[in-house]
Amino acid sequence: MASADKLINTDVPEKDVFALHFLQSLSNLKTQNPLNSPAKSIDRVRKIKKAAYVSMARAAGGTSRLWSRALLRRAAKDDNKSVRFSRRKRKVTWKISSKRRKSNNQRAPVVEEAAERLRNLVPGGGGMETSKLMEETAHYIKCLSMQVKVMQCLVDGLSQK
Amino acid sequence: MNSSSLLTPSSSSSPHLQSPATFDHDDFLHQIFSSTPWPSSVLDDAPPPTSDCAAVTGFHHHDADSRNQITMIPLSHNVTNDALFHGFSSGSLPFHLPQGSGSQTQTQSQATASTTTGGTTAQPQTKPKVRARRGQATDPHSIAERLRRERIAERMKSLQELVPNGNKTDKASMLDEIIDYVKFLQLQVKVLSMSRLGGAASVSSQISEDAGGSHENTSSSGEAKMTEHQVAKLMEEDMGSAMQYLQGKGLCLMPISLATTISTATCPSRNPFVKDTGVPLSPNLSTTTVANGNGSSLVTVKDAPSVSKP
């Protein structure tokens, strides 16, 4: 719906941005860890996967989206690093005050239980209102599909050798 | 706007019912509330005037509402509905109201305010006015709730375009689709990162060892033998770890019968001990046979992940 997209910004950068970030993270990985023994391949898989997600989060807008922020924070926590967040004026909308909302029982239970499942999937979804959650989901889906395309192209390019 | 005059419905008692041929909405309301057919029995009851005023005040509230809909039916009082209906029927009002099907209209008006107003205002071009649905008229919570639902519906529509197979009209199934799609994408990333491992290994071996074509072959076949031994060792201990190890390499296990069926289906003459990458159907498919200690043989199949989006 065109009018909806005007209100909500769900633009993602082009494929090149994602590819650039991902390749950079991969080369970082390679310099950090030379070829391990096969028994630890699972760790390598995990590292690659994590690098993929982190590079995707960075490419998609860094800390400007809620899900990317949560992803980066989670990744940094695992590595015992700290993420620098730029201070931004949070636009306080009246929708965010959900305390009064809790008393209102008229939320569609169908939507809400689906929203619960989505919250488990989308990073950072735990603290979001349902409408905000869906916005983040839309952006997350776009970024994920872009990342998958990039990785698929890389795999195809490499496997042809 | 005659809204101020509406506040005193029973004050003026002059019947304006039959007067103008072209009346606009405000006059119409004025007429309803000020007409004599309004039975005195209604006025005797305490609730009707208050419910009346409630309807009117509700009307006021919804002037501000962006919805622009119409109502003037008092909310839930049977007596007033009776009174209205009788009021309508006794006077000859210049709009269509089926007088024969009295109770039907009445229940209709009780059931949905929308159809009632549609029935009572036969004018094709009514000025869009604010209106409340039944039972939720003036509650700001419910207005906010409705706005919230609209927002959610908007976003779901935009999500619908993103997700393939998003032609489901049902909200619940659409949400399920969205959730499954997110899971699918995450799984794709996982699988691709696993295969990236294999690609990275071959690339790095190529780069680091000044590879010619033959060199690459020998290294890969050597790797295969090592893999086999590793897998055989792991299988003796625990199948799960063996599977995991193979998964890390981008390989999978399958019974020989299945593998031979596949290979004969795709390429008739093959040496099962040679890594074959020239299979027509799936160009990245290659197989290795591993003889298990138990006597049953298993075949590992290497496949570059072809989880591409449809």
Side-chain angles (χ1 to χ4, degrees):
Chain A
M1 221 165 83
S3 58
D5 286 336
K6 274 183 207 148
L7 299 170
I8 320 158
N9 179 25
T10 55
D11 294 334
V12 296
E14 287 294 312
K15 230 194 313 193
D16 336 340
V17 181
F18 283 91
L20 178 69
H21 277 87
F22 186 52
L23 287 171
Q24 277 178 348
S25 65
L26 274 185
S27 67
N28 281 344
L29 263 188
K30 209 159 69 152
T31 52
Q32 282 173 14
N33 319 309
L35 265 185
N36 290 339
S37 58
K40 292 186 192 155
S41 60
I42 303 171
D43 294 334
R44 285 176 70 192
V45 167
R46 278 198 215 113
K47 278 195 194 131
I48 289 182
K49 188 171 85 161
K50 190 164 142 182
Y53 276 107
V54 167
S55 70
M56 175 175 76
R58 286 216 193 96
T63 51
S64 56
R65 307 274 339 188
L66 275 170
W67 66 263
S68 60
R69 212 180 296 167
L71 225 172
L72 288 170
R73 193 183 288 147
R74 196 194 294 170
K77 193 173 61 171
D78 290 342
D79 294 340
N80 285 329
K81 289 190 204 144
S82 65
V83 190
R84 234 177 283 135
F85 290 124
S86 59
R87 302 221 77 198
R88 350 181 35 243
K89 263 195 261 180
R90 280 198 69 196
K91 256 198 283 180
V92 180
T93 61
W94 62 284
K95 282 249 167 244
I96 294 184
S97 62
S98 56
K99 287 187 196 128
R100 196 172 43 130
R101 292 313 186 95
K102 302 258 192 248
S103 58
N104 198 355
N105 290 337
Q106 285 165 347
R107 303 172 177 189
V110 179
V111 173
E112 287 307 314
E113 60 181 286
E116 262 315 303
R117 281 187 275 163
L118 260 186
R119 280 197 191 98
N120 294 335
L121 286 175
V122 176
M128 284 194 243
E129 270 267 327
T130 305
S131 57
K132 185 71 179 167
L133 177 70
M134 307 201 100
E135 199 182 314
E136 292 289 315
T137 307
H139 194 258
Y140 186 58
I141 286 180
K142 277 191 191 171
C143 291
L144 267 179
S145 52
M146 197 67 74
Q147 181 75 18
V148 163
K149 272 186 213 161
V150 164
M151 289 172 88
Q152 186 75 53
C153 288
L154 277 172
V155 166
D156 288 341
L158 283 172
S159 64
Q160 271 167 19
K161 294 208 169 102
Chain B
M1 194 78 103
N2 298 343
S3 23
S4 53
S5 65
L6 292 171
L7 276 174
T8 57
S10 49
S11 56
S12 63
S13 57
S14 52
H16 293 297
L17 287 177
Q18 284 100 4
S19 42
T22 63
F23 60 86
D24 68 332
H25 192 63
D26 300 325
D27 287 342
F28 163 61
L29 285 170
H30 185 73
Q31 285 158 24
I32 287 187
F33 290 122
S34 57
S35 57
T36 39
W38 193 263
S40 53
S41 61
V42 175
L43 291 177
D44 290 341
D45 300 345
T50 51
S51 68
D52 212 19
C53 289
V56 167
T57 49
F59 181 78
H60 279 299
H61 273 282
H62 288 283
D63 270 341
D65 195 313
S66 57
R67 270 274 165 151
N68 288 337
Q69 286 155 338
I70 317 168
T71 194
M72 62 288 172
I73 306 296
L75 288 175
S76 52
H77 202 62
N78 291 341
V79 182
T80 50
N81 275 333
D82 276 326
L84 272 180
F85 171 68
H86 291 310
F88 293 164
S89 59
S90 56
S92 64
L93 294 168
F95 52 81
H96 314 293
L97 187 65
Q99 301 192 351
S101 59
S103 53
Q104 202 183 14
T105 321
Q106 185 184 354
T107 48
Q108 266 183 6
S109 70
Q110 279 183 340
T112 51
S114 54
T115 52
T116 314
T117 52
T120 49
T121 61
Q123 275 199 332
Q125 66 280 60
T126 35
K127 265 188 246 156
K129 286 277 164 76
V130 169
R131 144 190 174 173
R133 291 189 200 272
R134 183 186 153 69
Q136 299 179 11
T138 64
D139 193 12
H141 288 291
S142 46
I143 300 173
E145 184 67 26
R146 205 188 322 153
L147 280 177
R148 175 178 168 270
R149 292 235 192 101
E150 281 172 17
R151 285 183 109 198
I152 291 180
E154 264 179 45
R155 274 127 207 225
M156 267 194 50
K157 266 207 187 140
S158 60
L159 271 175
Q160 208 170 6
E161 292 162 19
L162 282 180
V163 175
N165 220 0
N167 49 4
K168 308 255 183 327
T169 50
D170 185 21
K171 232 197 233 181
S173 56
M174 194 57 228
L175 285 165
D176 287 339
E177 275 294 323
I178 292 171
I179 289 171
D180 287 339
Y181 189 56
V182 171
K183 281 191 203 160
F184 166 69
L185 284 175
Q186 287 178 336
L187 183 64
Q188 258 189 312
V189 170
K190 183 174 173 194
V191 169
L192 280 172
S193 66
M194 276 190 213
S195 80
R196 287 292 307 122
L197 188 65
S202 71
V203 163
S204 55
S205 68
Q206 216 178 10
I207 290 174
S208 61
E209 286 163 334
D210 277 339
S214 55
H215 187 71
E216 189 186 19
N217 279 340
T218 51
S219 65
S220 56
S221 59
E223 190 184 286
K225 288 214 181 77
M226 205 172 61
T227 316
E228 289 173 30
H229 291 140
Q230 195 76 356
V231 169
K233 210 166 51 173
L234 280 173
M235 275 201 291
E236 284 161 22
E237 301 164 5
D238 173 27
M239 272 312 288
S241 59
M243 295 282 278
Q244 271 189 338
Y245 170 67
L246 282 174
Q247 264 189 344
K249 291 222 160 263
L251 303 169
C252 74
L253 287 176
M254 64 167 60
I256 272 197
S257 49
L258 182 60
T260 46
T261 320
I262 293 176
S263 59
T264 50
T266 53
C267 184
S269 61
R270 310 182 61 245
N271 186 350
F273 291 102
V274 170
K275 266 212 177 117
D276 191 346
T277 52
V279 181
L281 280 188
S282 48
N284 298 321
L285 189 67
S286 62
T287 62
T288 328
T289 47
V290 175
N292 200 359
N294 301 347
S296 64
S297 313
L298 293 168
V299 179
T300 59
V301 177
K302 175 170 182 153
D303 183 28
S306 49
V307 271
S308 51
K309 264 167 49 170

